[in-house]
Amino acid sequence: MNTQKVIVIHGPNLNLLGRREPEKYGRMTLAEIDQALVALGAELGLEVEAMQSNDEGAIVTRIQATRDDGTAGLVLNVAAYTHTSIAIRDALVFCERPAVEVHLSNVHKREPFRHVSLIADVCLGQILGFGPQSYLLGLRALAAHLSAG
Ligand code: DQA
C-alpha cells in the first residue's frame, strides 16, 4: 500500500490549546493532538503533516499548495475563520482535494455566530463536539473516503 499524504490545518488560537478555555477545548495541547494524529495516520497508511497558523493568508497559501504538492486530502479546524473566511473557502474550492471540517466544541450549542460555517458545503462533512477525538474521527473519515476512491 502506498502511503498517502494528508495535511491537518489548525487555525487561530489553537496554538493555545491546553491553556485556552479548557472547559470548552480540553487540556490536551496541540502538540499532543498532532502526535496522536501522526500515530493514527501511521495505522491508517497516511503520512500526516500538521500546521497551525494564526494568519488567514498563511492558511490560504497552504491550502492552495495542496493542489500540486501531492496532498491527498485535508482535515481542517480553521477555528474562528470557519465563520468568516470566504478566502479559505475559495482556496478549498481551488485545491480540489477532499476535506473534513472538524471542531473541538459543539459550535451549535454556542453563540449564534458560531453556527455558520462558510466551508461546510465545500467539505466532505463535519465532525464536531468530541474534543480532540473530533480530529481523530475526522482523520478516520478522510482515510475511509480516500480508500473508497
Ligand atoms: C473551534 C470553534 C470556533 O468557533 C472557535 O472560534 C475556535 C475553535 C472549535 O474547535 O471548537 O477557535 O473551531
Side-chain angles (χ1 to χ4, degrees):
M1 179 176 58
N2 283 336
T3 304
Q4 289 182 297
K5 187 173 94 170
V6 303
I7 183 157
V8 179
I9 299 183
H10 308 283
N13 298 307
L14 294 174
N15 54 312
L16 303 174
L17 283 180
R19 295 203 288 150
R20 174 190 179 208
E21 300 178 86
E23 67 294 345
K24 294 194 182 81
Y25 300 120
R27 296 213 174 264
M28 240 173 129
T29 65
L30 193 63
E32 289 167 341
I33 291 174
D34 285 344
Q35 233 175 16
L37 284 164
V38 169
L40 178 63
E43 279 175 38
L44 298 171
L46 299 173
E47 180 193 333
V48 174
E49 174 192 324
M51 71 93 81
Q52 187 276 331
S53 181
N54 294 325
D55 178 348
E56 184 178 13
I59 294 170
V60 168
T61 300
R62 188 66 193 87
I63 293 171
Q64 287 176 3
T66 63
R67 180 155 159 167
D68 301 312
D69 72 357
T71 300
L74 303 91
V75 174
L76 296 166
N77 181 0
V78 293
Y81 291 142
T82 305
H83 318 301
T84 61
S85 180
I86 298 169
I88 289 176
R89 177 200 172 84
D90 288 349
L92 278 170
V93 171
F94 167 78
C95 81
E96 294 181 345
R97 292 291 170 276
V100 178
E101 176 184 351
V102 304
H103 299 283
L104 294 147
S105 64
N106 181 345
V107 289
H108 299 293
K109 289 183 175 171
R110 301 182 62 192
E111 305 94 323
F113 62 82
R114 295 185 204 276
H115 300 179
V116 174
S117 167
L118 298 189
I119 64 169
D121 65 309
V122 297
C123 288
L124 293 173
Q126 294 174 307
I127 298 177
L128 49 93
F130 297 100
Q133 280 293 330
S134 294
Y135 283 101
L136 299 172
L137 293 166
L139 187 62
R140 285 187 188 279
L142 182 61
H145 176 83
L146 292 173
S147 65

